[in-house]
Amino acid sequence: MNALLVNLLVTFILAVSFNVEALSPHYYEQSCPQADDIVTNAVKKAMSDDKTVPAALLRMHFHDCFVRGCDGSVLLDSKGKNKAEKDGPPNISLHAFYVIDNAKKALEEQCPGVVSCADILSLAARDAVALSGGPTWEVPKGRKDGRISKAIETRQLPAPTFNISQLRQSFGQRGLSMHDLVVLSGGHTLGFAHCSSFQNRIHNFNTQKEVDPTLNPSFAVSLKGVCPAHNKVKNAGATMDGSTTSFDNVYYKMLMQGKSLFSSDQALLTSHSTKNLVAKYASSNEEYERAFVKSMIKMSSIIGNGNEVRLNCRRVR
């Protein structure tokens, strides 16, 4: 039995090593040296027209990696009877797919059939952060595009209502730690949330309380003003923090003040270890940026089952 366990462990370690080594910042150095610049230009152009693009790209990448690994499956359109990931309930509000399309078109003109859609999305997420005033980093590349995309599998995405145990399980299943959970949650510094994502905290919280008592009272009142109990405004909601177009540590500062939107954000304060990390990053943007780079590289290295480079990011060949 011991020999069997050792063999299994060695096999696992070799498999993990292979996955890590499969990605490299220099993957396109010979085949498409201008890949990074082409994607950056596409993101810059889109941002000049729409300030919501960075948040959209960062969220898109996260949702891609958490379902089937980082294989670009979130980019595929539904076809025939197959409802794709982008049409699953948690992804209905995803947008800015055209940014990836534009980058892919430019790359196909320069380096036909070389750069995968999964890599384009990973590069675009990096650019979204860097161009919003956050850190930049060398993106390991070499991901392949997957052919399978099913809306039903978006159930695997962590929900905004998750508690700390559910979050631990969701991230742990993908090889991500509680530290990664806290750091990647900080990506909420960019973006906007619709009322439906935090309605549970401001209306009928439980049988005793109408509003989540962990919410700052004046903050809760402002949220109820934007999102009444029977809200009829389709795109009503609130920004995730007070500097929604800047990548910074304001998210953690607001969380410490009881001004977070999601139950899953508040959940970070219900564990001693995660609460300490929230406090750490609330007090140092520099520490947060360093940690974010490490956790993003780790998350974006979750290998999917892709085995091709799509010529069109919205459909398989």
Side-chain angles (χ1 to χ4, degrees), residues 107-162:
L107 283 163
E108 286 302 308
E109 289 172 0
Q110 293 294 319
C111 324
V114 172
V115 183
S116 69
C117 299
D119 275 346
I120 294 171
L121 182 49
S122 187
L123 287 165
R126 183 273 313 274
D127 292 333
V129 171
L131 294 171
S132 298
T136 190
W137 61 93
E138 287 280 354
V139 175
K141 298 175 278 286
R143 298 164 193 78
K144 298 300 181 187
D145 296 324
R147 299 176 64 87
I148 299 170
S149 183
K150 295 184 179 298
I152 195 169
E153 292 182 351
T154 59
R155 291 176 180 174
Q156 300 169 22
L157 291 166
T161 54
F162 270 15

Side-chain angles (χ1 to χ4, degrees), residues 22 32-33 50 84 105 111 138 145 159 168 200 219 223 269 317:
C32 194
D50 183 355
K105 183 180 178 183
C111 324
E138 287 280 354
D145 296 324
R168 180 187 287 111
N200 65 304
F219 183 65
L223 291 181
L269 299 181
R317 294 189 186 189

Side-chain angles (χ1 to χ4, degrees), residues 164 167-168 171 177-186 268 274:
I164 198 69
L167 290 168
R168 180 187 287 111
F171 277 66
S177 67
M178 294 298 277
H179 189 182
D180 295 318
L181 162 64
V182 175
V183 172
L184 293 171
S185 294
L268 301 182
T274 54

Side-chain angles (χ1 to χ4, degrees), residues 9-29:
L9 182 60
V10 169
T11 302
F12 174 76
I13 291 170
L14 287 174
V16 171
S17 298
F18 174 77
N19 284 347
V20 171
E21 289 168 6
L23 301 180
S24 165
H26 312 294
Y27 191 83
Y28 298 116
E29 207 165 67

Side-chain angles (χ1 to χ4, degrees), residues 176-236:
L176 299 171
S177 67
M178 294 298 277
H179 189 182
D180 295 318
L181 162 64
V182 175
V183 172
L184 293 171
S185 294
H188 287 165
T189 185
L190 297 176
F192 175 90
H194 291 97
C195 295
S196 57
S197 299
F198 55 89
Q199 198 88 355
N200 65 304
R201 299 188 73 197
I202 57 174
H203 300 291
N204 302 314
F205 179 67
N206 60 29
T207 53
Q208 284 82 37
K209 301 279 186 180
E210 165 73 2
V211 175
D212 183 344
T214 62
L215 272 174
N216 176 290
S218 60
F219 183 65
V221 169
S222 69
L223 291 181
K224 291 187 81 163
V226 175
C227 302
H230 302 290
N231 174 54
K232 296 286 194 297
V233 182
K234 184 181 178 183
N235 292 317

Side-chain angles (χ1 to χ4, degrees), residues 3 8 21-22 37 44 52 55 92 113 127 142 147 175 181 183 189 226 231 246 257 264 267 285 303:
L8 286 172
E21 289 168 6
D37 290 341
K44 273 183 182 174
T52 71
I92 291 296
D127 292 333
R147 299 176 64 87
L181 162 64
V183 172
T189 185
V226 175
N231 174 54
S246 297
Q257 296 166 10
S264 58
N285 191 55
I303 303 298

